[in-house]
Each structure stands twice: as C-alpha cells, then as structure tokens.
Amino acid sequence: MEPRRIAITGSHGLIGGALAGTLRAEGRDVVRLVRREPRAGDERRWDPTGRDPEANAAALDGCDAVVHMAGAGVADRRWTARYKRVIRDSRVLGTAAVAEAIASLATPPRVFLSGSAIGFYGYTGDREVDERTPGGTGFLADVARDWEAAAAPAERAGVRTVLIRTGLVVARSGGAWGKLFPLFRAGLGGPIGGGRQYWSPIALDDYLAALRFLMDEADDVSGPVNLTGPHPVTNREATRAMGRVLRRPTLFPVPAAVLRVVLGEFSQDVVGSQRVLPRRLLDAGFTFEHPTVEDAVRAALARRG
C-alpha cells in the first residue's frame, strides 16, 4: 500500500521541494517539517537539535512515511572549522532527532528514507564501488558514517530504514549542478582540475522516481542505497555533454589551484573521483528514464518548475 501521508524535512531545498510537489500532484498528503513556527496548513514545527522531542513526535504523528533531507549545504560556504561543525551537526543531530521521534511513536511510519551521500566512500579513483564497498576516509566520509549511524533508533524500532546515498543531482537550478548551467550558457564551462575524476550524476526526475520506488514498491529494501545514475562519467565527459546539449564551447579548463583559492578545502571534493554504481536500485528492478549524463542534462532543461 502506498504511503498517503508523508513527512519531509528539507522541503525548501532542491530535492525536498521537488518531492513535495510531485507527491501532491499524485494526490498524497505532504507534511513539511519546519524549524520556525508554522505559517501554512501543511507545515509542522520540528526541532533538529533534538531538544524538543515532544514537538518532533507530534510533527510525525499519523505519517505513513518520513523522508529526511535536511542539512546545511556543503558548497554554500568555505569550510572553516566552525562551518564543518555546522555541516556535521545539521546532519547527525537532525537525523537522530527524527529517528528518535519515529521510535517514540505508538504507531510509527512504515518507512524512513534518511538522507546520506556517496561521500561515504571517500575518493575511489577509477574503481567502481557499490553498496557493498566499505566506507572511505576524509571529512565527508566521516560525516556520512555518523549521519547514517544516527538513523539507528528508527531501525531498532522495527521501521524499514533506507539510507539514501545521494550522488550529483542534475538540475537546472539548485544544488551543485545548478551552479554549472550559467557558466556553460555563458561559454565559460570547461574541465575541472584536469577532468579525469569520475562524477556520479543522476537526473532529478530519476532521483524523485527512485525515492518513490523505495517508498512504495521496494518493501524488502533497507539499509544503504546509492541514488546515482547507472553510468558514472569523468568530469571531462560531463563537460562535453553539457557543451553538446547547450551548444556552447568548453574551452576553459579550471585549474585545481584556482579551485583551492575559490573553494578552500571543499575543492578537494570537486576534483576527487567517485565512480559509484546504484547496484541495489538496479537489482530491485528500478528503471532509469534518463540513464546517461547527456539524458540527465536534457531532462533538466526540459523540466518545469
């Protein structure tokens, strides 16, 4: 049975907002969890620090599914020691707050989709990895490991818990990929840091379809699931695809030294290589509508909203 009432954290972000719109279009009841006092009928207040467990339990009461996507953006600011703590706490504390609220309910939701990221694997070079691959090293890998562990209270309470390891979501605006479109449209796009590093993109529409598939159909799937497309590509290949679709030259490579000046420590993750496969999605029978990076870019341009 499809969940009819779905709670979403991070509903003002790229993925959470798009998911809320898609679910509403299907006739489902969406509950948006917000940190401030509610201003709309579909909003409920929650406390991502976990200091108000009663509010969190009340916010989730009566929901059939919970999709947890809240977290500070890793590319929003330079990685000072203080902002790295914000990145970690927004994920780990927020996930723990949601998971503990779920576990406290007399009638908990049937499924908990909890955000994570392919940063879990660290840098993998040109080696293909999937959900069987152990975690890597580095700041984002450490964050992802703690992030996923924070979902354990819901799993221990018997709720099917899926850990969503998100790749690069290809969208026209919003997210990391959304920042590329203006550059390429202006003819300023080019390979980053040599272009040999692997990226693991997924079309936004496929991402949303995969979330609904995991929520509605894949009743036997729990634990980590990679939400990436089936065909990882090098940055140079992604650059060429953007140039072809937008009909713009891709003549201006961005040296790694420039990235370090502009992005600081986060530049290591931009030039780091992750060749991640969505093995569990494919094994469960999910079908991608936009399997290649060029398909994903075209879908982003065609998408309304």
Side-chain angles (χ1 to χ4, degrees), residues 168 170 201-209 228-232 278 286-303:
L168 280 168
V170 182
I202 181 171
L204 176 58
D205 285 341
D206 277 338
Y207 190 100
L208 299 176
T228 63
H231 303 297
F286 180 75
T287 301
F288 288 85
E289 292 295 324
H290 313 288
T292 71
V293 65
E294 186 162 331
D295 293 334
V297 173
R298 293 188 187 281
L301 292 176
R303 193 175 201 277

CSV table of all heavy atoms in Angstrom, one decimal, residues 168 170 201-209 228-232 278 286-303:
chain,number,residue,atom,x,y,z
A,168,LEU,N,25.5,13.2,-7.5
A,168,LEU,CA,25.3,14.6,-8.1
A,168,LEU,C,24.0,14.7,-8.8
A,168,LEU,O,23.8,14.1,-9.9
A,168,LEU,CB,26.5,14.9,-9.1
A,168,LEU,CG,27.8,15.3,-8.4
A,168,LEU,CD1,28.9,15.3,-9.5
A,168,LEU,CD2,27.7,16.7,-7.8
A,170,VAL,N,21.4,16.2,-11.1
A,170,VAL,CA,21.4,17.1,-12.3
A,170,VAL,C,20.1,17.9,-12.4
A,170,VAL,O,19.1,17.3,-12.7
A,170,VAL,CB,21.7,16.3,-13.6
A,170,VAL,CG1,21.8,17.3,-14.8
A,170,VAL,CG2,23.0,15.5,-13.5
A,201,PRO,N,26.5,11.2,-11.6
A,201,PRO,CA,25.3,12.1,-11.7
A,201,PRO,C,24.0,11.2,-11.8
A,201,PRO,O,24.0,10.0,-12.1
A,201,PRO,CB,25.5,12.8,-13.0
A,201,PRO,CG,26.3,11.9,-13.8
A,201,PRO,CD,27.2,11.1,-12.9
A,202,ILE,N,22.9,11.9,-11.4
A,202,ILE,CA,21.6,11.3,-11.6
A,202,ILE,C,20.6,12.4,-11.9
A,202,ILE,O,20.7,13.5,-11.3
A,202,ILE,CB,21.1,10.6,-10.3
A,202,ILE,CG1,19.7,9.9,-10.5
A,202,ILE,CG2,21.2,11.4,-9.1
A,202,ILE,CD1,19.3,9.0,-9.4
A,203,ALA,N,19.7,12.2,-12.9
A,203,ALA,CA,18.7,13.2,-13.2
A,203,ALA,C,17.8,13.4,-12.0
A,203,ALA,O,17.4,12.5,-11.3
A,203,ALA,CB,17.9,12.7,-14.4
A,204,LEU,N,17.3,14.7,-11.8
A,204,LEU,CA,16.4,14.9,-10.7
A,204,LEU,C,15.2,14.1,-10.8
A,204,LEU,O,14.7,13.6,-9.8
A,204,LEU,CB,16.1,16.4,-10.7
A,204,LEU,CG,15.0,16.9,-9.7
A,204,LEU,CD1,15.5,16.5,-8.3
A,204,LEU,CD2,14.8,18.4,-9.8
A,205,ASP,N,14.6,14.0,-12.1
A,205,ASP,CA,13.4,13.2,-12.2
A,205,ASP,C,13.6,11.7,-11.8
A,205,ASP,O,12.7,11.1,-11.2
A,205,ASP,CB,12.9,13.3,-13.6
A,205,ASP,CG,12.2,14.6,-13.9
A,205,ASP,OD1,11.8,15.3,-13.0
A,205,ASP,OD2,12.1,15.0,-15.1
A,206,ASP,N,14.8,11.2,-12.2
A,206,ASP,CA,15.1,9.8,-11.8
A,206,ASP,C,15.3,9.7,-10.3
A,206,ASP,O,14.9,8.7,-9.7
A,206,ASP,CB,16.3,9.3,-12.5
A,206,ASP,CG,16.1,8.8,-13.9
A,206,ASP,OD1,14.9,8.4,-14.2
A,206,ASP,OD2,17.0,8.7,-14.7
A,207,TYR,N,15.9,10.7,-9.7
A,207,TYR,CA,16.1,10.7,-8.2
A,207,TYR,C,14.7,10.6,-7.5
A,207,TYR,O,14.5,9.8,-6.6
A,207,TYR,CB,16.8,11.9,-7.8
A,207,TYR,CG,17.3,11.9,-6.4
A,207,TYR,CD1,18.6,11.6,-6.1
A,207,TYR,CD2,16.4,12.2,-5.3
A,207,TYR,CE1,19.0,11.6,-4.7
A,207,TYR,CE2,16.8,12.2,-4.0
A,207,TYR,CZ,18.1,11.9,-3.7
A,207,TYR,OH,18.5,11.8,-2.4
A,208,LEU,N,13.8,11.5,-8.0
A,208,LEU,CA,12.4,11.5,-7.4
A,208,LEU,C,11.7,10.2,-7.6
A,208,LEU,O,11.0,9.7,-6.7
A,208,LEU,CB,11.6,12.7,-7.9
A,208,LEU,CG,12.2,14.1,-7.7
A,208,LEU,CD1,11.4,15.1,-8.4
A,208,LEU,CD2,12.3,14.4,-6.2
A,209,ALA,N,11.8,9.6,-8.8
A,209,ALA,CA,11.2,8.4,-9.1
A,209,ALA,C,11.8,7.3,-8.2
A,209,ALA,O,11.1,6.4,-7.7
A,209,ALA,CB,11.4,8.0,-10.6
A,228,THR,N,22.4,7.2,-7.6
A,228,THR,CA,23.2,7.7,-8.7
A,228,THR,C,22.7,7.1,-10.0
A,228,THR,O,22.0,6.1,-10.0
A,228,THR,CB,24.7,7.4,-8.5
A,228,THR,OG1,24.8,5.9,-8.6
A,228,THR,CG2,25.3,7.8,-7.2
A,229,GLY,N,23.1,7.7,-11.1
A,229,GLY,CA,22.7,7.1,-12.4
A,229,GLY,C,23.6,5.9,-12.6
A,229,GLY,O,24.6,5.6,-12.0
A,230,PRO,N,23.2,5.0,-13.6
A,230,PRO,CA,23.9,3.8,-13.9
A,230,PRO,C,25.2,3.9,-14.6
A,230,PRO,O,25.9,3.0,-14.8
A,230,PRO,CB,22.9,3.0,-14.7
A,230,PRO,CG,22.1,4.0,-15.4
A,230,PRO,CD,22.0,5.2,-14.5
A,231,HIS,N,25.5,5.2,-15.1
A,231,HIS,CA,26.7,5.4,-15.9
A,231,HIS,C,27.6,6.5,-15.4
A,231,HIS,O,27.4,7.7,-15.9
A,231,HIS,CB,26.3,5.6,-17.4
A,231,HIS,CG,25.5,4.5,-18.0
A,231,HIS,ND1,25.9,3.2,-18.1
A,231,HIS,CD2,24.2,4.5,-18.4
A,231,HIS,CE1,25.0,2.5,-18.7
A,231,HIS,NE2,23.9,3.3,-18.8
A,232,PRO,N,28.4,6.3,-14.4
A,232,PRO,CA,29.3,7.4,-13.9
A,232,PRO,C,30.2,7.8,-15.1
A,232,PRO,O,30.5,7.0,-16.0
A,232,PRO,CB,30.1,6.7,-12.8
A,232,PRO,CG,29.4,5.5,-12.4
A,232,PRO,CD,28.6,5.0,-13.7
A,278,PRO,N,24.6,2.3,-8.8
A,278,PRO,CA,23.4,2.1,-8.0
A,278,PRO,C,23.0,0.6,-8.0
A,278,PRO,O,21.9,0.3,-8.5
A,278,PRO,CB,22.4,3.0,-8.7
A,278,PRO,CG,22.8,2.9,-10.2
A,278,PRO,CD,24.3,2.8,-10.1
A,286,PHE,N,14.5,-1.2,-10.4
A,286,PHE,CA,14.2,0.2,-10.8
A,286,PHE,C,14.8,0.4,-12.2
A,286,PHE,O,15.8,0.0,-12.6
A,286,PHE,CB,14.9,1.1,-9.8
A,286,PHE,CG,14.7,2.6,-10.2
A,286,PHE,CD1,13.4,3.2,-9.9
A,286,PHE,CD2,15.7,3.4,-10.7
A,286,PHE,CE1,13.2,4.5,-10.2
A,286,PHE,CE2,15.5,4.7,-11.1
A,286,PHE,CZ,14.2,5.3,-10.8
A,287,THR,N,14.0,1.2,-13.0
A,287,THR,CA,14.4,1.6,-14.4
A,287,THR,C,14.6,3.1,-14.5
A,287,THR,O,13.8,3.9,-14.1
A,287,THR,CB,13.3,1.2,-15.4
A,287,THR,OG1,13.1,-0.2,-15.3
A,287,THR,CG2,13.7,1.5,-16.8
A,288,PHE,N,15.8,3.4,-15.0
A,288,PHE,CA,16.1,4.8,-15.2
A,288,PHE,C,15.5,5.3,-16.5
A,288,PHE,O,15.7,4.7,-17.5
A,288,PHE,CB,17.6,5.0,-15.2
A,288,PHE,CG,18.3,4.9,-13.8
A,288,PHE,CD1,18.7,3.6,-13.4
A,288,PHE,CD2,18.5,6.0,-13.0
A,288,PHE,CE1,19.3,3.5,-12.1
A,288,PHE,CE2,19.1,5.8,-11.8
A,288,PHE,CZ,19.5,4.6,-11.3
A,289,GLU,N,14.9,6.5,-16.4
A,289,GLU,CA,14.4,7.1,-17.6
A,289,GLU,C,15.4,8.0,-18.3
A,289,GLU,O,15.4,8.2,-19.5
A,289,GLU,CB,13.2,8.0,-17.3
A,289,GLU,CG,11.9,7.3,-16.8
A,289,GLU,CD,11.3,6.4,-17.9
A,289,GLU,OE1,11.4,6.8,-19.1
A,289,GLU,OE2,10.9,5.3,-17.6
A,290,HIS,N,16.4,8.4,-17.6
A,290,HIS,CA,17.5,9.3,-18.1
A,290,HIS,C,18.8,8.7,-17.7
A,290,HIS,O,19.5,9.3,-16.8
A,290,HIS,CB,17.3,10.7,-17.6
A,290,HIS,CG,15.9,11.2,-17.7
A,290,HIS,ND1,15.3,11.5,-19.0
A,290,HIS,CD2,14.9,11.4,-16.8
A,290,HIS,CE1,14.1,11.9,-18.8
A,290,HIS,NE2,13.8,11.9,-17.5
A,291,PRO,N,19.3,7.6,-18.2
A,291,PRO,CA,20.4,6.9,-17.7
A,291,PRO,C,21.8,7.5,-17.9
A,291,PRO,O,22.7,7.3,-17.1
A,291,PRO,CB,20.3,5.5,-18.4
A,291,PRO,CG,19.6,5.8,-19.6
A,291,PRO,CD,18.6,6.9,-19.3
A,292,THR,N,22.0,8.3,-19.0
A,292,THR,CA,23.3,8.9,-19.3
A,292,THR,C,23.3,10.3,-18.8
A,292,THR,O,22.3,11.0,-18.6
A,292,THR,CB,23.6,8.8,-20.8
A,292,THR,OG1,22.8,9.8,-21.5
A,292,THR,CG2,23.4,7.4,-21.3
A,293,VAL,N,24.5,10.9,-18.7
A,293,VAL,CA,24.6,12.3,-18.3
A,293,VAL,C,24.0,13.2,-19.3
A,293,VAL,O,23.4,14.2,-18.9
A,293,VAL,CB,26.1,12.6,-18.0
A,293,VAL,CG1,27.0,12.6,-19.2
A,293,VAL,CG2,26.2,14.0,-17.3
A,294,GLU,N,24.1,12.9,-20.6
A,294,GLU,CA,23.5,13.8,-21.6
A,294,GLU,C,22.0,13.7,-21.4
A,294,GLU,O,21.3,14.7,-21.5
A,294,GLU,CB,24.0,13.4,-23.0
A,294,GLU,CG,23.5,14.3,-24.0
A,294,GLU,CD,24.2,14.2,-25.3
A,294,GLU,OE1,25.4,13.8,-25.3
A,294,GLU,OE2,23.6,14.5,-26.4
A,295,ASP,N,21.4,12.5,-21.2
A,295,ASP,CA,20.0,12.4,-21.0
A,295,ASP,C,19.6,13.2,-19.8
A,295,ASP,O,18.5,13.9,-19.8
A,295,ASP,CB,19.6,10.9,-20.7
A,295,ASP,CG,19.8,10.0,-21.9
A,295,ASP,OD1,19.8,10.5,-23.0
A,295,ASP,OD2,20.0,8.8,-21.6
A,296,ALA,N,20.4,13.2,-18.7
A,296,ALA,CA,20.1,13.9,-17.5
A,296,ALA,C,20.1,15.4,-17.7
A,296,ALA,O,19.2,16.1,-17.2
A,296,ALA,CB,21.0,13.5,-16.4
A,297,VAL,N,21.1,15.9,-18.5
A,297,VAL,CA,21.1,17.3,-18.8
A,297,VAL,C,19.9,17.8,-19.6
A,297,VAL,O,19.3,18.8,-19.3
A,297,VAL,CB,22.5,17.7,-19.5
A,297,VAL,CG1,22.5,19.1,-19.9
A,297,VAL,CG2,23.6,17.4,-18.5
A,298,ARG,N,19.6,17.0,-20.6
A,298,ARG,CA,18.4,17.3,-21.4
A,298,ARG,C,17.1,17.3,-20.6
A,298,ARG,O,16.2,18.2,-20.7
A,298,ARG,CB,18.3,16.4,-22.6
A,298,ARG,CG,19.4,16.5,-23.6
A,298,ARG,CD,19.1,15.6,-24.8
A,298,ARG,NE,20.3,15.6,-25.7
A,298,ARG,CZ,20.6,16.6,-26.6
A,298,ARG,NH1,19.8,17.7,-26.6
A,298,ARG,NH2,21.7,16.6,-27.3
A,299,ALA,N,17.0,16.4,-19.7
A,299,ALA,CA,15.8,16.3,-18.8
A,299,ALA,C,15.8,17.5,-17.9
A,299,ALA,O,14.7,18.0,-17.6
A,299,ALA,CB,15.9,15.0,-18.0
A,300,ALA,N,16.9,18.0,-17.4
A,300,ALA,CA,16.9,19.1,-16.5
A,300,ALA,C,16.5,20.4,-17.3
A,300,ALA,O,15.7,21.2,-16.7
A,300,ALA,CB,18.4,19.4,-16.0
A,301,LEU,N,16.8,20.5,-18.5
A,301,LEU,CA,16.4,21.7,-19.3
A,301,LEU,C,14.9,21.6,-19.6
A,301,LEU,O,14.3,22.6,-19.7
A,301,LEU,CB,17.2,21.8,-20.6
A,301,LEU,CG,18.7,22.1,-20.4
A,301,LEU,CD1,19.4,22.1,-21.8
A,301,LEU,CD2,18.9,23.5,-19.8
A,302,ALA,N,14.4,20.4,-19.8
A,302,ALA,CA,13.0,20.2,-20.2
A,302,ALA,C,12.1,20.3,-19.0
A,302,ALA,O,10.9,20.5,-19.2
A,302,ALA,CB,12.8,18.9,-20.9
A,303,ARG,N,12.6,20.1,-17.8
A,303,ARG,CA,11.8,20.1,-16.6
A,303,ARG,C,11.2,21.4,-16.3
A,303,ARG,O,11.8,22.4,-16.3
A,303,ARG,CB,12.6,19.5,-15.4
A,303,ARG,CG,11.7,19.1,-14.2
A,303,ARG,CD,12.6,18.5,-13.1
A,303,ARG,NE,11.8,17.7,-12.3
A,303,ARG,CZ,11.0,18.2,-11.3
A,303,ARG,NH1,11.1,19.5,-11.0
A,303,ARG,NH2,10.3,17.4,-10.5
